[in-house]
Amino acid sequence: MTFEDGLDVEFPDIGADPFEITLQTKSITRHQPMLENYKVTSAGHLLKQDAEYEHVPEEERPGYNEETGGFDTEIERARGSMRKIHHGWSDTAYHGTFEFHWTIDSDYVSLDAKFTDGQLVEISRNK
């Protein structure tokens, strides 16, 4: 998850600029697939990336050996086998609170984002 510059919500002191880092999210919804990308706009709306994945031909993957026409290991064959195709962003109209976190200089930081009727209203330190 990322935050756009210009967001008019106060962040707790976390030892980093929240507009320059990418954060992991937890519990946005139990029914969402993992590894989704989200961002909070400068207007305070939570957007979800619209994307699909496509299979990458073996010859376009890292580690492909043109001389042998294959890979040295099955791990190399699997690496880079899928790529994400970005299609835009959708407003989630999220209502509720979710946790997001990251580690800064070996210190774990956890915050809660509270949304009311699709609008970010507060960011607080998660205890």
Side-chain angles (χ1 to χ4, degrees):
M1 181 172 78
T2 59
F3 290 91
E4 288 183 350
D5 282 330
L7 179 63
D8 189 24
V9 171
E10 186 174 331
F11 279 83
D13 182 18
I14 56 173
D17 184 345
F19 300 103
E20 294 183 5
I21 56 179
T22 300
L23 310 128
Q24 286 190 331
T25 57
K26 297 284 183 186
S27 67
I28 287 180
T29 175
R30 288 182 281 177
H31 305 290
Q32 287 289 346
M34 294 179 7
L35 299 176
E36 298 291 345
N37 289 327
Y38 292 89
K39 70 177 175 180
V40 177
T41 67
S42 60
H45 295 267
L46 181 66
L47 305 184
K48 179 182 166 289
Q49 182 183 32
D50 295 326
E52 65 180 308
Y53 291 87
E54 70 178 11
H55 181 27
V56 176
E58 287 189 354
E59 59 275 3
E60 294 179 24
R61 297 179 199 169
Y64 179 79
N65 186 328
E66 291 184 23
E67 291 180 15
T68 65
F71 299 89
D72 293 335
T73 67
E74 286 302 310
I75 291 173
E76 286 182 341
R77 179 186 308 280
R79 186 179 53 192
S81 63
M82 300 296 289
R83 79 176 131 229
K84 187 182 242 186
I85 308 299
H86 175 77
H87 292 296
W89 296 91
S90 297
D91 194 326
T92 65
Y94 188 79
H95 182 84
T97 301
F98 66 85
E99 185 256 342
F100 59 97
H101 65 268
W102 67 102
T103 301
I104 301 171
D105 298 328
S106 299
D107 292 326
Y108 179 79
V109 177
S110 176
L111 301 175
D112 287 329
K114 180 180 179 183
F115 287 81
T116 301
D117 299 325
Q119 182 68 43
L120 179 64
V121 294
E122 181 182 23
I123 295 176
S124 60
R125 189 171 287 276
N126 190 342
K127 296 176 171 78

